């Protein structure tokens, strides 16, 4: 962020939707809309040109989907500071899971209340993932019928016992403060463990850490993996 101003790019094929988001965000002190794009391809170009703090990206768009746009943004080292928030009409569906795997930092329903949208932008700009405990529980449900993908997930051997424990707790939707209380450590220490686990696993943020925890089999829908 520059001078505490959160710079936001809007990527949605519906002009009315972009106009609504822009009017809301432009009226807010501390947030600047740096540009708009009507499809995924234009969105990637916009993000590369402006390097915003946040990209609000619709899931389903012509030319290039929001998922593919997210994947390209996440894969570009020059855009490592950009956080993608997926916009969807349908709640947590398979598209959202794919987007989290592709590198999104979270998601928002398009009918989100204005105050919740503004808070979400601040949360993600601050480096946190937009995954509430209720969202995490729904994510867990996605994994009930999915076997752990240990073939593609990074190895657990790079994590210490403590780092595995905090990763598992984060995957259950616990905040750093709740992890600290559970493990009887300070919130700062909990945050440090989470940050080190993310670094070792190459996770861009907490959202990808949660996806890793389930894909690797570190935790399952029934509890910690043995």
């Amino acid at each position: 962020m520059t001078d505490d101003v959160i710079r936001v790019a809007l990527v949605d094929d519906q002009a009315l939707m972009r106009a609504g988001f822009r009017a809301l965000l432009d009226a807010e002190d501390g947030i600047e809309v740096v540009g708009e794009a009507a499809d995924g391809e234009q969105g990637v170009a916009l993000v590369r040109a402006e390097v915003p703090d946040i990209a609000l990206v619709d899931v389903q768009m012509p030319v290039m989907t929001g998922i593919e746009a997210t994947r390209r943004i996440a894969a570009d080292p020059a855009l490592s500071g950009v956080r993608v928030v997926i916009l969807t009409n349908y709640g947590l569906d398979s598209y959202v899971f794919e987007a989290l795997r592709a590198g999104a930092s979270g998601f928002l329903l398009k009918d989100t209340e204005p105050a919740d949208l503004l808070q979400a932008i601040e949360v993600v700009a601050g480096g946190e993932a937009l995954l509430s405990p209720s969202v995490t529980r729904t994510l867990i449900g996605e994994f009930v019928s999915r076997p752990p993908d240990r073939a593609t997930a990074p190895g657990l051997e790079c994590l210490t016992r403590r780092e595995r424990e905090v990763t598992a707790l984060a995957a259950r939707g616990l905040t750093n403060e709740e992890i600290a209380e559970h493990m009887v450590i300070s919130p700062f220490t909990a945050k440090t463990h989470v940050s080190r686990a993310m670094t070792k696993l190459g996770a861009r943020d907490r959202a990808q850490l949660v996806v890793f925890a389930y894909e690797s089999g570190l935790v399952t829908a029934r509890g910690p993996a043995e």
Side-chain angles (χ1 to χ4, degrees), residues 62-219:
V63 184
M64 181 188 295
T65 67
I67 293 171
E68 180 58 28
T70 298
R71 186 175 293 113
R72 296 192 185 192
I73 291 169
D76 190 337
L79 304 178
S80 61
V82 178
R83 296 290 175 258
V84 176
V85 175
I86 293 294
L87 299 171
T88 175
N89 288 317
Y90 309 110
L92 191 70
D93 53 20
S94 60
Y95 291 113
V96 174
F97 175 77
E98 291 178 38
L100 289 173
R101 177 182 279 166
S105 293
F107 81 99
L108 281 172
L109 292 176
K110 287 189 175 182
D111 61 358
T112 295
E113 292 293 327
D116 292 336
L117 171 64
L118 296 174
Q119 182 182 23
I121 288 175
E122 292 181 0
V123 166
V124 177
E128 294 294 329
L130 195 60
L131 288 174
S132 67
S134 61
V135 172
T136 304
R137 284 195 294 272
T138 311
L139 260 179
I140 290 169
E142 286 285 319
F143 286 92
V144 172
S145 59
R146 297 170 186 249
D149 190 5
R150 294 183 176 86
T152 58
L156 294 175
E157 64 276 0
C158 68
L159 300 181
T160 66
R161 181 181 62 81
R162 281 299 222 188
E163 289 162 356
R164 290 191 193 193
E165 188 174 356
V166 298
T167 298
L169 293 172
R172 289 294 180 191
L174 273 65
T175 64
N176 288 341
E177 289 72 20
E178 291 168 337
I179 291 172
E181 182 177 355
H182 181 89
M183 297 178 65
V184 195
I185 57 178
S186 72
F188 176 79
T189 300
K191 182 178 180 180
T192 299
H193 284 315
V194 171
S195 297
R196 285 176 178 169
M198 287 170 52
T199 298
K200 289 181 178 181
L201 297 172
R204 283 167 59 92
D205 54 30
R206 205 180 186 94
Q208 285 204 316
L209 192 66
V210 171
V211 171
F212 162 80
Y214 286 96
E215 287 195 322
S216 67
L218 177 61
V219 292

